[in-house]
Amino acid sequence: MELQELKENMEAVVKDLNGDPRFIGRITSIGITPGCRLKVMRNDKNRPMLVYARDTMIALNRKECKGIEVAEVGA
Amino acid sequence: MSATIALLGQPNSGKSTVFNALTGLKQHVGNWPGKTVEKKEGSFTLNGREYEVADLPGSYSLTANSDEEVITRDFIASGKADVVCILADSSQLQRSLYMMADYAGINVPSFLVLNMADVAADQGKKIDTAVLEEKLGIPVISFSATDNKKYDAFYKAMNRALENKSLINVSGLEEELEKIDAYNEMRRLIPEGKVENYSSMWLGVKAIENDKQVVEKLKEVLSDADEKQMEDIQRSSNGALDTGNSKFAWIDALLEGALNEKKSQVSIGKLDRLFLSPVWGKPAVVITILLGLIGSFIPALPFMGLGAGIGALKAPVASALASAGASEIITTIVCNVIIQSFQYIFQMLGFVFGVLFVFGLLEEVGIMARISYVFDNTMAKLGLQGKSVMPFLISFGCTMGGAAGTRVIDNWGQKVLTIALAWAVPCGAAWAVVPTLSTLFFGPGAVVVIIAILATMVLHMWITAKIFGRKLVKKEDRYGMIMELPPYHKPKWGALLRYVFGRTKDTFFRVAKVVLLVCTIFWLLSYSFVPGADPILCKIGKAIEPVTKFFGMGWQLFMAFIASSVGKEGALGVISALFTDGSVYTAFSDAMSGAAASGDLNSILLANVTRPEALAFIFAITFNMPCVVALAATYQETCSAKWTAKIAAYYTVGALVIATIVYHIGLLIW
C-alpha cells in the first residue's frame, strides 16, 4: 500500500521507493529506505504527512508519499 | 602555518553552533563565487596557529541536486580544506551518519564529531566512540556544541586528523556495495586516480546514483566504449535505492557494539500538539510570528533612538558649516545626503537586528520547522516554502525587516521570490498614510478602500509569483517537502547574539552603500543648482504631466509618488509643500527627514485633489517600492544588483499601472 493510506499511529515497513533519481536520492538521504520501519504520527488533509523513522520526525509532502510503498506491521 | 577546516553536516546537526563557537566574531558572510549560495567563513587562533573555518552549505547528502551540494563537493575536492569535520546528531545517529557514508571515499582527511551528546544521553543512548574510531580509522568524539568546556576535545581531534591525515576506512562499505551487480560492473570501468581526490568507489557510487556532475566528469576521462557501457549500467541499476541501502547497512555494522539504546515509544509533545494541530496550528503560528514581530521592536528601540539622534545633528552641523564659511551645496550634501542616509540606516539597522534575533531564535529552538510544516500547502501554491509566511507577516510592520527575515529561506530562488512578494505587503508606513488619506476623501468609505487594498495585495502577490516564479523557482525544482522536524532545543544565546551582531555589522556596510547612492541621486535631482530655478525632478515632472495625468496624478502628486519610493512617511509633506508653492527642495528634504506635514494639509488636499486622483495616489504609494532601506535590504539578502533592480522597476511600473486602473474606475464612479 502507499504511505498516505496508513492511518495515524500505524506502524509500517518501507517496501519500495518509486520516483525519479532525484526523489530517490532525497528520500534516501533523509533515512527512508526499503526495510526501514516507520510510524505515522499525523496524517491530516492539506498538511504534509508526519512520520517517525530512524529516531527522526519527518514531514513529507503528500504527493511524494505516493512513491513510498509500505506494508503495515502490528504494533 | 595555517590550516583550513571545513564543516560538513546535515541540517540540524548543529553545524552553525560549532561554526559560531569556533570563530566568534571573526566571521564573514558572503556568497560563493558565481553562485547565489551563502558562504560563511571565519577564523580562529589556537596555540599561535591560524585556522580558517569554512561552514559548508547544509544538505542531506553530497549528490549534486542543487548548488549547495555542488559547492560543498567542489570545495572539498579542490583541496582547499586540509581537514573536514563531519558532524552527526548523536540523538539520531543512524540517520545522520548518512552524510559521513556519502562522504566516505573522498580522499581528504576528516574527523567525526557526534554532536548533541547531551540530548542522546537524556534519551538513554550510550555511544562508545572508541569502537567507532577503531572501525572508522578517523578521530571520533562525543560532543555538545553548546558546552564551551568541550572544545578542547574538539581541537585535539582536529589536530590528530590533521597530523595523521586520517582517511575513513571504507572496506566495510565496499563489502556492502559489492553486493550490487551494477556497482561491480561500474567499478571495473573506473580505475583509481581518474579524478583527483575522489576514490573510484565514490565515483562508482555517484555514477550509479546518476549524479549528473560526476557522470560529466567521468565522460571526460572514459573512452567512448566505456562511456556507453556506463550508461547501460546506469539504466539497469536501481540507483540510489541500492547504494542507499548499502550505506545504511554499513552504518548499522558500524554502530553494532558502539551504540547502546533503549527502545522507547515516541509521542508528540505538548507544544507540538498545538503547532501540528489541523485546527489550531495556523493561528498558533501566526500569533507566534506576531509576538516575534513585537519582540523584535524591543532591541530595535535603542538603534532608532540613535538614528533620531543622528538626524538631530543636522541643524547644529548646518549652522557650524555655515559659520565656517562652507558653501550651501557642501552644507546640503553633508546634512541632507550623508547625515540623512545614516539616520535611515541606523533606524533600520535596529529592526534588522531585532528580526535577525527573533527569527534566529525561532529557528534554533525548532519552531521554524513547524511553521514550514503548517504553511507548506498554502505557500506551495506560490512556489514557496512554508517558512515564507514569516517575512510576509513581518512586512506588515516593515518590509526591510521582512527582507532581512528571508535569511531563513535556504533556497536562493525562493528567497528572492519571497522578497519580491513581500514588497506587495503594505508596510507600517503605508498604514500610517493610507487610512488618514482615505478617511479624508471617502469618509466611512475608507473601510472599502482598505479592503480593496488588501484584495489588491493578494492579487498582486499571485500575479508577481507567476511572473517572477517562472525564472526564480523552476518547475523541475518545485519539489514537495521532505524535511525533518527537529526536537525543540534550548537556544544558545551567546552564539546567537554573535551571529546577529556579525550579520548586522555586515548589513550595515552593504546597506550604507545603497542608501548613500540613492540619497545622492535623489538629492541631485531635487536640488536647485541655479537659485530660483526648478530642480531637474520638477522640470521632468512638469514636462511629463500629460502622461502622469493619465495615471491620475498631476505633477505635484507624481513628485510625491517619487518621494514615496524613498520613504512613504514623506509623501504627504511633499504634497502640502508643492500645492502651497513652497520650495521644492526644502519640501523634499523636510519630508524625507520625517518632518510633520503642515497643519492645514487636509484643506490643501481637498482643494487641489479630486477623489479619483486621491484614490489613484493612495494605491500608487501603497504598491510602490516600499522605501530606500527596503531596497538596500533586498540587495543585501539577494546579493544580486540585477534582481534588486528588476524588482524595483517592476514595482514602480506596477504601482503606476494599478494607479491608472484605479483612477479610471474612480472616474466612472464620481
Side-chain angles (χ1 to χ4, degrees):
Chain A
M1 67 204 299
E2 288 169 3
L3 179 62
Q4 85 276 15
E5 293 172 49
L6 291 173
K7 295 204 170 54
E8 211 167 290
N9 289 324
M10 278 186 175
E11 293 193 31
V13 169
V14 178
K15 287 287 158 198
D16 201 7
L17 301 171
N18 302 302
D20 57 6
R22 192 164 162 169
F23 167 70
I24 305 282
R26 286 182 67 209
I27 200 84
T28 304
S29 65
I30 206 161
I32 294 183
T33 52
C36 150
R37 216 183 145 107
L38 53 82
K39 182 178 175 186
V40 177
M41 304 305 291
R42 283 281 189 276
N43 190 355
D44 297 322
K45 253 189 289 170
N46 298 322
R47 286 280 170 85
M49 271 190 87
L50 265 191
V51 300
Y52 193 81
R54 295 190 202 264
D55 295 332
T56 310
M57 192 83 76
I58 301 167
L60 296 168
N61 181 282
R62 306 189 76 78
K63 259 184 237 153
E64 321 242 317
C65 293
K66 290 199 175 116
I68 304 173
E69 244 175 80
V70 295
E72 201 195 330
V73 291
Chain B
M1 199 192 75
S2 78
T4 298
I5 149 169
L7 302 177
L8 177 74
Q10 292 192 337
N12 305 310
S13 58
K15 207 159 51 73
S16 43
T17 312
V18 173
F19 177 76
N20 279 314
L22 288 176
T23 59
L25 285 172
K26 286 164 94 180
Q27 51 177 272
H28 173 72
V29 186
N31 273 46
W32 292 91
K35 292 281 196 299
T36 46
V37 179
E38 189 174 88
K39 179 182 194 179
K40 290 205 300 199
E41 289 173 309
S43 64
F44 65 95
T45 321
L46 183 71
N47 301 332
R49 190 174 180 190
E50 181 88 10
Y51 294 86
E52 302 288 330
V53 188
D55 187 7
L56 298 173
S59 61
Y60 280 102
S61 74
L62 288 174
T63 301
N65 280 329
S66 66
D67 279 350
E68 279 81 359
E69 288 115 3
V70 175
I71 286 167
T72 301
R73 261 164 40 172
D74 286 352
F75 184 85
I76 294 168
S78 69
K80 280 185 197 127
D82 297 297
V83 66
V84 174
C85 166
I86 306 171
L87 283 141
D89 178 349
S90 309
S91 66
Q92 316 173 343
L93 197 51
Q94 193 193 32
R95 190 190 61 79
S96 67
L97 280 177
Y98 187 85
M99 183 55 103
M100 183 200 66
D102 221 29
Y103 179 85
I106 297 181
N107 296 327
V108 175
S110 60
F111 64 107
L112 178 63
V113 172
L114 307 178
N115 202 1
M116 308 192 191
D118 46 343
V119 183
D122 287 345
Q123 294 172 351
K125 287 175 182 148
K126 282 196 192 110
I127 301 162
D128 191 338
T129 51
V131 174
L132 274 178
E133 193 163 320
E134 169 77 32
K135 290 182 183 178
L136 279 170
I138 57 170
V140 180
I141 56 162
S142 178
F143 190 66
S144 274
T146 43
D147 187 351
N148 287 331
K149 282 170 245 143
K150 291 249 181 171
Y151 279 82
D152 264 350
F154 182 95
Y155 297 134
K156 270 186 201 143
M158 175 183 77
N159 281 328
R160 267 203 294 148
L162 275 170
E163 269 164 39
N164 306 334
K165 301 205 181 311
S166 56
L167 296 178
I168 298 174
N169 175 1
V170 295
S171 57
L173 178 58
E174 251 184 319
E175 262 171 49
E176 290 295 336
L177 288 166
E178 276 160 11
K179 295 175 189 164
I180 309 170
D181 292 339
Y183 170 79
N184 292 322
E185 289 171 43
M186 195 67 91
R187 261 307 285 280
R188 270 194 286 277
L189 294 179
I190 313 166
E192 284 298 341
K194 276 286 183 189
V195 183
E196 203 183 1
N197 284 329
Y198 293 123
S199 71
S200 69
M201 177 196 88
W202 192 88
L203 292 168
V205 169
K206 287 296 163 203
I208 287 179
E209 290 172 2
N210 209 352
D211 182 300
K212 289 200 180 71
Q213 210 199 16
V214 166
V215 171
E216 284 310 311
K217 269 202 182 112
L218 287 174
K219 279 181 180 171
E220 282 169 30
V221 294
L222 292 182
S223 68
D224 286 353
D226 284 354
E227 193 180 312
K228 217 194 135 290
Q229 217 188 330
M230 175 173 77
E231 284 166 359
D232 288 340
I233 301 169
Q234 278 178 328
R235 264 190 294 275
S236 68
S237 86
N238 286 327
L241 200 55
D242 284 344
T243 54
N245 257 338
S246 310
K247 286 174 205 168
F248 275 113
W250 179 53
I251 292 169
D252 286 339
L254 287 173
L255 293 181
E256 187 84 48
L259 176 66
N260 196 334
E261 63 180 328
K262 281 181 262 164
K263 276 281 165 227
S264 56
Q265 269 299 315
V266 285
S267 63
I268 283 183
K270 256 191 206 145
L271 194 53
D272 268 346
R273 254 177 265 157
L274 175 68
F275 277 131
L276 307 180
S277 148
V279 182
W280 298 108
K282 277 190 185 175
V285 160
V286 169
I287 289 171
T288 307
I289 301 172
L290 292 181
L291 285 178
L293 177 63
I294 296 166
S296 54
F297 272 114
I298 296 168
L301 287 174
F303 285 94
M304 291 187 176
L306 186 63
I310 291 176
L313 287 176
K314 267 189 201 170
V317 168
S319 59
L321 282 172
S323 61
S327 72
E328 197 198 327
I329 291 198
I330 303 269
T331 311
T332 58
I333 289 179
V334 171
C335 293
N336 294 336
V337 178
I338 300 175
I339 296 183
Q340 182 62 59
S341 296
F342 280 98
Q343 179 185 346
Y344 279 147
I345 294 163
F346 274 97
Q347 284 176 339
M348 81 148 239
L349 219 52
F351 203 62
V352 166
F353 182 87
V355 167
L356 286 175
F357 181 76
V358 171
F359 278 38
L361 187 63
L362 288 177
E363 187 158 52
E364 221 180 78
V365 172
I367 294 179
M368 195 67 82
R370 274 72 184 175
I371 295 173
S372 258
Y373 165 81
V374 170
F375 277 95
D376 181 62
N377 260 30
T378 319
M379 290 294 133
K381 291 188 183 106
L382 296 170
L384 297 173
Q385 306 176 8
K387 284 179 207 171
S388 303
V389 73
M390 302 198 51
F392 293 161
L393 287 175
I394 296 289
S395 293
F396 279 109
C398 175
T399 314
M400 175 267 305
T406 59
R407 168 141 310 279
V408 295
I409 296 164
D410 42 27
N411 173 296
W412 181 80
Q414 288 180 321
K415 185 193 271 188
V416 179
L417 185 56
T418 305
I419 297 178
L421 296 182
W423 277 35
V425 178
C427 71
W431 292 121
V433 176
V434 168
T436 322
L437 273 182
S438 308
T439 317
L440 177 63
F441 280 91
F442 310 106
V447 179
V448 182
V449 175
I450 288 170
I451 292 171
I453 283 182
L454 290 174
T456 310
M457 173 193 91
V458 173
L459 190 68
H460 195 309
M461 289 173 89
W462 186 72
I463 294 171
T464 310
K466 291 263 171 238
I467 295 174
F468 282 84
R470 210 169 301 157
K471 268 216 154 159
L472 288 170
V473 191
K474 294 204 174 79
K475 256 249 146 61
E476 64 265 27
D477 290 334
R478 295 195 180 193
Y479 273 83
M481 165 181 273
I482 298 181
M483 186 194 69
E484 172 199 350
L485 288 192
Y488 290 108
H489 292 294
K490 274 196 212 111
K492 295 118 203 166
W493 299 106
L496 180 63
L497 280 172
R498 269 200 295 273
Y499 167 76
V500 172
F501 272 114
R503 271 315 296 193
T504 310
K505 192 180 80 183
D506 220 65
T507 306
F508 173 77
F509 289 113
R510 252 174 193 270
V511 161
K513 270 187 279 183
V514 179
V515 174
L516 276 169
L517 178 72
V518 174
C519 285
T520 306
I521 294 173
F522 202 71
W523 174 80
L524 282 174
L525 292 174
S526 64
Y527 187 71
S528 319
F529 288 94
V530 181
D534 276 344
I536 304 167
L537 200 57
C538 269
K539 282 188 190 149
I540 298 173
K542 283 178 181 166
I544 62 165
E545 193 175 30
V547 181
T548 58
K549 274 280 184 198
F550 181 69
F551 309 139
M553 289 182 265
W555 74 271
Q556 296 95 337
L557 285 184
F558 188 70
M559 286 300 104
F561 166 74
I562 298 291
S564 77
S565 343
V566 181
K568 282 187 175 138
E569 296 94 333
L572 292 183
V574 172
I575 299 182
S576 71
L578 293 183
F579 280 120
T580 49
D581 283 325
S583 148
V584 176
Y585 177 67
T586 321
F588 269 110
S589 56
D590 284 355
M592 289 300 109
S593 54
S598 69
D600 52 350
L601 175 70
N602 290 2
S603 50
I604 296 171
L605 281 170
L606 288 172
N608 292 291
V609 180
T610 67
R611 292 173 111 191
E613 283 175 341
L615 196 63
F617 182 70
I618 290 170
F619 273 81
I621 62 163
T622 306
F623 294 104
N624 191 9
M625 184 178 120
C627 66
V628 60
V629 277
L631 180 82
T634 300
Y635 172 64
Q636 151 81 3
E637 285 309 320
T638 60
C639 294
S640 159
K642 192 185 91 182
W643 277 100
T644 309
K646 263 192 201 178
I647 296 171
Y650 171 80
Y651 270 84
T652 308
V653 173
L656 291 175
V657 170
I658 294 170
T660 311
I661 297 169
V662 170
Y663 175 61
H664 289 270
I665 293 174
L667 284 180
L668 293 176
I669 301 174
W670 295 289

